[in-house]
Amino acid sequence: MSEAPLAGGLPSREDMRRQMAAELARGGIENPALDARLLLCAALSVEDIALISAPEEKLSAEEQETVEAYLQRRLAGEPVSRILGRREFWGLSFGLNEATLDPRPDSETLVETALRHFNVPKGESPRLLDLGTGSGCLLLALLHELENAWGLGTDRSEKALRMARQNAAALGLGGRAAFTCADWGAALRGGFHLMVSNPPYIPGADIERLQREVRAHDPRAALDGGLDGLDPYRILFAQFDGLAGDGGIGVFEFGAGQEDALFALAREAGLRVIETACDLGGKPRVLAVCKV
């Protein structure tokens, strides 16, 4: 660390936490106290309560080395979730790798919207489809809530699919979730009651203007939506009719300023907009559609 070593040899947990928070604050990191606590707990393999109940316990030399490595990575702009290889979403813990998008809290709006409109004809078993599944967070969050449902997640990346399968197994949902490599819904048969997707929606020219935590650490394939950011929706909306069962709905996340264009694309594809839902910041974020 840039500060001089603490007097008396190895630091205590509390001394280290304060020093980390100070370093992160000077480095311009948002929420330095929170990040310091999360990184320190991970480095020590302890829960928050251990920092409170035993603040004077000394770190070992190995623990201090791990803390230093985590701190330098965060100061270089790597998100805490990437350093730890995990992100909480919908109250569940999801593993991440370099092929998966880092789930954001605003995407929980998609799960909420999907659950609000989800409906299955009497006598049918619920079937879900997550197009561009990444870590599997959307599909698995929905399966966690819908106990009788089965779901399929597609992705172009085999590495992302491996992580999604691991997450399904870790959450006890492996028996109700399957994952396959596909170009969105190509070559799939219909009959799905619910389709969800958080596709790439950033215009290609805008990616370099994103926060460094995003542009440098999220996979570009999960960000780049083409010239206007809408290329994936043109495909998804065109595939909808062949994938949706009777009464099936689709719920899609989108970016700032794209609402009107998506309404037009939906109409052109013969879809009716059921709802536009806003994210935690009050901005339109999710579109729910069905067949006309």
Side-chain angles (χ1 to χ4, degrees), residues 154-169:
T154 72
D155 205 285
R156 297 174 184 173
S157 168
E158 285 287 1
K159 191 164 191 176
L161 291 169
R162 286 197 295 273
M163 180 55 68
R165 293 185 188 105
Q166 291 175 25
N167 285 329

Side-chain angles (χ1 to χ4, degrees), residues 179-234:
F179 299 92
T180 188
C181 191
D183 186 5
W184 301 115
L188 297 180
R189 295 182 178 181
F192 291 97
H193 302 102
L194 171 63
M195 285 172 285
V196 298
S197 184
N198 178 16
Y201 53 70
I202 307 297
D206 292 348
I207 291 178
E208 292 307 313
R209 293 193 286 271
L210 298 174
Q211 292 179 313
R212 64 175 177 171
E213 284 86 351
V214 177
R215 68 173 185 270
H217 296 284
D218 275 331
R220 189 179 181 97
L223 300 173
D224 193 342
L227 186 64
D228 60 359
L230 301 177
D231 283 355
Y233 302 97
R234 296 183 174 96

Side-chain angles (χ1 to χ4, degrees), residues 89-114:
F89 180 83
W90 200 255
L92 306 171
S93 181
F94 290 90
L96 308 176
N97 63 27
E98 58 268 32
T100 63
L101 189 73
D102 185 354
R104 271 56 171 197
D106 281 334
S107 295
E108 293 188 354
T109 303
L110 189 153
V111 178
E112 294 171 350
T113 305

Side-chain angles (χ1 to χ4, degrees), residues 16-185:
M16 180 58 74
R17 184 194 66 78
R18 291 185 180 187
Q19 187 168 315
M20 291 173 71
E23 291 258 355
L24 292 170
R26 283 196 295 273
I29 300 298
E30 190 176 354
N31 299 317
L34 174 61
D35 286 5
R37 176 171 55 79
L38 293 172
L39 293 174
L40 182 57
C41 284
L44 303 181
S45 298
V46 300
E47 300 293 333
D48 286 359
I49 189 63
L51 300 185
I52 299 171
S53 61
E56 299 306 316
E57 185 169 331
K58 300 288 186 180
L59 274 66
S60 68
E62 183 179 2
E63 288 171 339
Q64 188 175 24
E65 184 177 345
T66 302
V67 168
E68 173 69 20
Y70 284 179
L71 178 61
Q72 293 308 316
R73 289 169 67 180
R74 185 68 189 103
L75 287 169
E78 188 173 354
V80 170
S81 55
R82 292 292 180 188
I83 296 170
L84 305 185
R86 304 204 69 78
R87 163 75 80 169
E88 183 175 300
F89 180 83
W90 200 255
L92 306 171
S93 181
F94 290 90
L96 308 176
N97 63 27
E98 58 268 32
T100 63
L101 189 73
D102 185 354
R104 271 56 171 197
D106 281 334
S107 295
E108 293 188 354
T109 303
L110 189 153
V111 178
E112 294 171 350
T113 305
L115 291 172
R116 188 161 55 248
H117 291 287
F118 183 70
N119 186 41
V120 178
K122 187 176 181 179
E124 295 188 22
S125 298
R127 301 179 72 230
L128 316 183
L129 177 61
D130 181 9
L131 298 158
T133 193
S135 66
C137 65
L138 295 178
L139 179 63
L140 297 174
L142 287 164
L143 291 177
H144 178 75
E145 299 296 327
L146 302 169
E147 295 182 355
N148 298 320
W150 176 89
L152 175 66
T154 72
D155 205 285
R156 297 174 184 173
S157 168
E158 285 287 1
K159 191 164 191 176
L161 291 169
R162 286 197 295 273
M163 180 55 68
R165 293 185 188 105
Q166 291 175 25
N167 285 329
L171 294 169
L173 296 169
R176 295 197 286 123
F179 299 92
T180 188
C181 191
D183 186 5
W184 301 115

